[in-house]
Amino acid sequence: KLAKELGIMKQPDPFKWTNQIVMNCADIDIITASFVPEGGEEINATGFNYQNEDEKVTLCFPSILQKGSGSLKIDFVGELNDKMKGFYRSKYTTPSGENRYAAVTQFEATDARRAFPCWDEPAIKATFDITLIIPKDRIALSNMNVVDRKPYPEDHSLVEVKFATTPIMSTYLVAFVIGEYDFVESQSSDGVTVRVYTPVGKAEQGKFALEVATKTLPFYKDYFSVPYPLPKIDLIAIADFAAGAMENWGLVTYRETALLIDPKNSCASSRQWVALVVGHELAHQWFGNLVTMEWWTHLWLNEGFASWIEYLCVDHCFPEYDIWTQFVSADYTRALDLDALDNSHPIEVDVGHPSEVDEIFDAISYSKGASVIRMLHNYIGDEDFRKGMNAYLLKFQHKNASTEDLWECLEQASGKPIAAVMNSWTKQMGFPIIVVDQEQHGSDRVLKISQKKFCASGPRNDENCPNWMVPISICTSEDPSCTKMKVLLDQPETTVNITNIAPDHWLKINPGTVGFYRIQYSTTMLESLLPGIRDLTLLPVDRLGLQNDLFSLLHKQADMQEEKNRIERVLGAIPAPDLIQRVLNFALSVRKYTHTLTVENRSDCGNF
Ligand code: BES
Ligand code: ZN
């Protein structure tokens, strides 16, 4: 209005028209670009301004582009790089010893822009029609099935391979692979064609992953109550691969050790690892690909969820592995150890520039993420959890969602305060130590429970000590595998009354070791657990959790002798005295270091 009064010429309204298009683009040279507005004339771009730092290019047009639809045509060249990101070359050796190259993509998080100019932010979804022109003696794979393969008219050594249109999807999930591979194929019970591509001559080594994938797809279809939406899924072993595996929709890429199993020479741990990685990437086909995070801030949910459900899936397909015990001994204890350091960070972190995105693929996102989802699943119960998951996937399928959207669906399904509980675990770093004491009152047991922050560097009496909303479950010696009572500790301390429990019965907190906290029992409570350790009625995961808590408490206790005595009494119940002594000595020596060690870099939180 002021401009009008002063007679200043009206500025162009950027919401109605522009003469520039800004795209993500890195290590690419644009040769020509043009824009054809719907029903209008083609306009050739006259300038390409590269903002290399920001990995962007601005296409400048000589006349205005009106608001509305149109098509943008770009001719460009890039290099098949050796950086294992974008569109890159992967070297392999043929059975006769010759070196050859395959061409492979790896786009997550922000490297699709190295293969073609695009908008590769997760919330910008599009369908993709991909055609590849390749040497005729190679195979080409992409997200979708091949719909046409014909000779390329201009060069008879080449063929043109056209793939079906993808569903609407984020660009970081697009993939293509060109190379020489063998494969094994099967059909899952829900009608999806599954292929495992291996190096030439090693098809046998794809059979185990094929079995895992064909069992896994129906499991997820049933668990989510949503079918896998594509007609096929390929799993392919890539010779040079930076990550462990990548969940590209319909074409999952793996490092060779995460997919191939030599049937004659492999150990149980290799098979378990392949099963977990396949379970993880196939879970993303729903959680991540069908419903995608709004922005990389929610990456922890994508990865934490997949890192939890991979165990649920493997436990279902291979119950003989007892895989949850491995979860406790690997992810859970690792997350507790790292998150007790002063330089840990909250699960949810703000991310801006692409360089910040890589930093958050760490053990806090993966292992703590998986551990708090496991605790949440236990707090809600499987039935309501599945109901909430189904509502979430249906509501946001082919769209994007945030962490809060999932909490809302789970809250509706369970009637429990999910957002409040989970915010305390994802928005603040660290976790509590739960201090427990008990008294017998007639046939009742009265528990005094309190929480304070657990720090590897020793107890702290900060005034503003954080609090968590802690789901606590309790079991008794009557049935150590069954939860007798559940409480939500939402304040610094509380008292819990458990009725009808005989004075000689023991009581344990956190059966199954699902809560993301450590426990410090009073001496009498700890001693009462000794028979359960000795006669093995306490489950392996419970003994593991107990031992791990004691071990870490030894690090932080002021009165070392007293703590050492307590621990020796408990560990003494385990029939392996030499081992116990070695563990104790180790714990004592580690303690010395934790007091002098300062860790400065977030990458010490176990970057992958
Ligand atoms: N989406 C990730 C792969 C990824 C990680 C791409 C970092 C780009 C940057 C994939 O789903 C994943 O989590 N892979 C894991 C293996 C998994 C079994 C924990 C990996 O690569 O370590
Ligand atoms: Zn993942």
Side-chain angles (χ1 to χ4, degrees):
K1 192 172 166 229
L2 182 69
K4 211 169 163 189
E5 276 164 13
L6 295 174
I8 297 173
M9 213 177 74
K10 213 175 147 210
Q11 290 295 309
D13 179 350
F15 294 106
K16 293 230 174 79
W17 63 268
T18 181
N19 64 347
Q20 294 185 342
I21 295 178
V22 183
M23 308 181 76
N24 291 321
C25 176
D27 294 338
I28 277 177
D29 286 323
I30 296 180
I31 302 159
T32 61
S34 66
F35 183 73
V36 188
E38 211 170 75
E41 295 275 296
E42 182 165 7
I43 310 166
N44 290 316
T46 43
F48 315 120
N49 291 336
Y50 297 94
Q51 293 104 61
N52 292 336
E53 283 273 289
D54 291 340
E55 302 182 345
K56 285 187 166 53
V57 64
T58 304
L59 312 178
C60 305
F61 293 86
S63 54
I64 59 172
L65 312 175
Q66 290 292 349
K67 186 179 174 183
S69 312
S71 38
L72 181 63
K73 203 162 79 184
I74 306 178
D75 284 339
F76 60 92
V77 283
E79 188 200 21
L80 269 183
N81 71 66
D82 62 355
K83 297 177 188 162
M84 293 199 275
K85 55 188 183 180
F87 193 18
Y88 71 92
R89 54 185 196 267
S90 161
K91 190 172 168 184
Y92 61 95
T93 314
T94 63
S96 63
E98 191 191 331
N99 284 338
R100 291 203 189 146
Y101 292 91
V104 184
T105 56
Q106 168 57 46
F107 290 168
E108 192 182 13
T110 58
D111 292 318
R113 61 189 68 177
R114 294 176 189 280
F116 48 89
C118 58
W119 295 275
D120 55 11
E121 289 81 359
I124 302 179
K125 291 199 175 190
T127 62
F128 290 83
D129 292 275
I130 294 171
T131 300
L132 299 171
I133 297 157
I134 60 158
K136 66 179 177 195
D137 58 349
R138 299 289 192 268
I139 59 163
L141 300 169
S142 187
N143 306 80
M144 299 299 288
N145 48 304
V146 173
V147 287
D148 195 17
R149 185 181 168 113
K150 58 183 184 206
Y152 187 61
E154 287 162 38
D155 183 340
H156 294 296
S157 69
L158 304 176
V159 285
E160 192 176 307
V161 186
K162 187 172 185 301
F163 298 90
T165 308
T166 70
I168 191 159
M169 63 188 281
S170 305
T171 312
Y172 81 89
L173 295 165
V174 170
F176 26 91
V177 175
I178 299 100
E180 296 172 290
Y181 296 94
D182 281 347
F183 65 86
V184 283
E185 179 182 316
S186 178
Q187 195 89 357
S188 75
S189 63
D190 53 336
V192 180
T193 302
V194 186
R195 283 183 176 180
V196 176
Y197 283 86
T198 70
V200 172
K202 294 188 178 170
E204 279 281 293
Q205 298 190 17
K207 283 189 170 161
F208 179 70
L210 186 67
E211 179 196 342
V212 178
T214 44
K215 283 183 173 166
T216 295
L217 285 173
F219 170 76
Y220 285 137
K221 181 188 171 191
D222 182 51
Y223 196 83
F224 296 129
S225 302
V226 175
Y228 174 74
L230 309 186
K232 66 93 178 173
I233 187 152
D234 296 325
L235 292 76
I236 184 164
I238 305 292
D240 296 308
F241 198 72
M246 175 64 211
E247 70 267 26
N248 316 298
W249 213 356
L251 175 57
V252 185
T253 42
Y254 294 81
R255 158 187 296 241
E256 290 186 347
T257 51
L259 190 70
L260 304 178
I261 290 291
D262 181 344
K264 288 184 213 87
N265 292 305
S266 71
C267 54
S269 68
S270 310
R271 285 194 297 277
Q272 288 173 3
W273 175 236
V274 168
L276 287 170
V277 183
V278 171
H280 178 108
E281 304 309 337
L282 295 196
H284 278 313
Q285 306 299 306
W286 284 260
F287 203 97
N289 301 5
L290 184 62
V291 177
T292 312
M293 72 222 127
E294 189 69 46
W295 180 242
W296 299 112
T297 313
H298 308 285
L299 173 113
W300 82 269
L301 186 61
N302 209 25
E303 295 305 345
F305 183 87
S307 301
W308 164 73
I309 206 166
E310 64 185 64
Y311 283 87
L312 197 73
C313 168
V314 171
D315 193 42
H316 172 87
C317 299
F318 303 95
E320 68 276 18
Y321 289 175
D322 183 22
I323 204 76
W324 281 116
T325 307
Q326 312 250 21
F327 179 88
V328 174
S329 77
D331 289 75
Y332 173 87
T333 51
R334 178 157 183 246
L336 287 173
D337 284 342
L338 290 169
D339 205 27
L341 300 175
D342 293 342
N343 71 329
S344 183
H345 65 90
I347 286 184
E348 276 191 73
V349 281
D350 286 335
V351 264
H353 192 269
S355 61
E356 292 173 9
V357 181
D358 284 346
E359 253 186 74
I360 54 172
F361 284 90
D362 70 2
I364 293 294
S365 295
Y366 277 77
S367 299
K368 184 179 176 185
S371 300
V372 298
I373 301 277
R374 178 165 170 257
M375 174 167 71
L376 175 69
H377 172 259
N378 185 262
Y379 169 60
I380 294 180
D382 192 59
E383 202 182 318
D384 285 348
F385 188 86
R386 285 169 71 154
K387 248 192 253 164
M389 283 307 307
N390 177 248
Y392 171 81
L393 289 172
L394 291 181
K395 183 168 176 191
F396 296 103
Q397 60 181 333
H398 305 296
K399 299 199 195 102
N400 294 81
S402 67
T403 306
E404 288 70 29
D405 292 325
L406 178 61
W407 298 162
E408 205 180 303
C409 289
L410 292 172
E411 202 155 301
Q412 290 228 327
S414 66
K416 291 179 174 158
I418 306 303
V421 171
M422 291 311 284
N423 285 344
S424 76
W425 296 95
T426 63
K427 292 190 191 293
Q428 55 187 6
M429 70 176 216
F431 59 89
I433 175 160
I434 306 295
V435 181
V436 205
D437 201 357
Q438 66 178 9
E439 271 174 21
Q440 185 78 18
H441 290 178
S443 61
D444 289 0
R445 189 79 56 93
V446 179
L447 284 185
K448 267 212 268 163
I449 302 178
S450 62
Q451 60 165 308
K452 57 186 182 185
K453 187 176 190 306
F454 180 86
C455 298
S457 53
R460 282 234 217 103
N461 298 314
D462 292 4
E463 289 214 332
N464 23 4
C465 187
N467 258 311
W468 284 263
M469 287 180 78
V470 194
I472 290 183
S473 35
I474 301 158
C475 70
T476 72
S477 47
E478 232 166 13
D479 187 353
S481 61
C482 171
T483 295
K484 180 157 173 105
M485 189 168 185
K486 280 185 174 184
V487 283
L488 183 66
L489 176 66
D490 54 2
Q491 51 210 322
E493 55 185 64
T494 191
T495 306
V496 178
N497 197 14
I498 299 158
T499 53
N500 284 329
I501 167 155
D504 59 337
H505 279 187
W506 54 254
L507 193 150
K508 185 186 176 290
I509 311 290
N510 202 14
T513 315
V514 281
F516 194 72
Y517 46 81
R518 296 204 179 278
I519 303 166
Q520 184 174 28
Y521 291 104
S522 66
T523 304
T524 53
M525 271 190 98
L526 195 55
E527 282 183 344
S528 72
L529 290 170
L530 296 185
I533 298 173
R534 276 202 197 96
D535 65 17
L536 307 183
T537 47
L538 257 177
L539 297 179
V541 269
D542 286 302
R543 280 180 274 140
L544 195 57
L546 203 58
Q547 186 244 31
N548 201 267
D549 281 352
L550 291 168
F551 191 82
S552 70
L553 277 167
L554 191 62
H555 290 194
K556 73 172 276 287
Q557 284 306 301
D559 187 342
M560 282 291 290
Q561 195 51 47
E562 149 106 49
E563 193 59 21
K564 186 169 177 287
N565 293 343
R566 269 158 56 90
I567 290 172
E568 259 172 347
R569 279 203 296 279
V570 175
L571 292 179
I574 304 170
D578 290 356
L579 181 69
I580 310 307
Q581 200 49 55
R582 288 222 303 275
V583 168
L584 262 180
N585 290 344
F586 175 70
L588 292 169
S589 69
V590 168
R591 182 177 188 265
K592 274 189 228 144
Y593 294 113
T594 50
H595 282 273
T596 49
L597 197 76
T598 50
V599 194
E600 272 154 14
N601 192 310
R602 199 193 266 177
S603 65
D604 289 306
C605 283
N607 242 313
F608 276 85

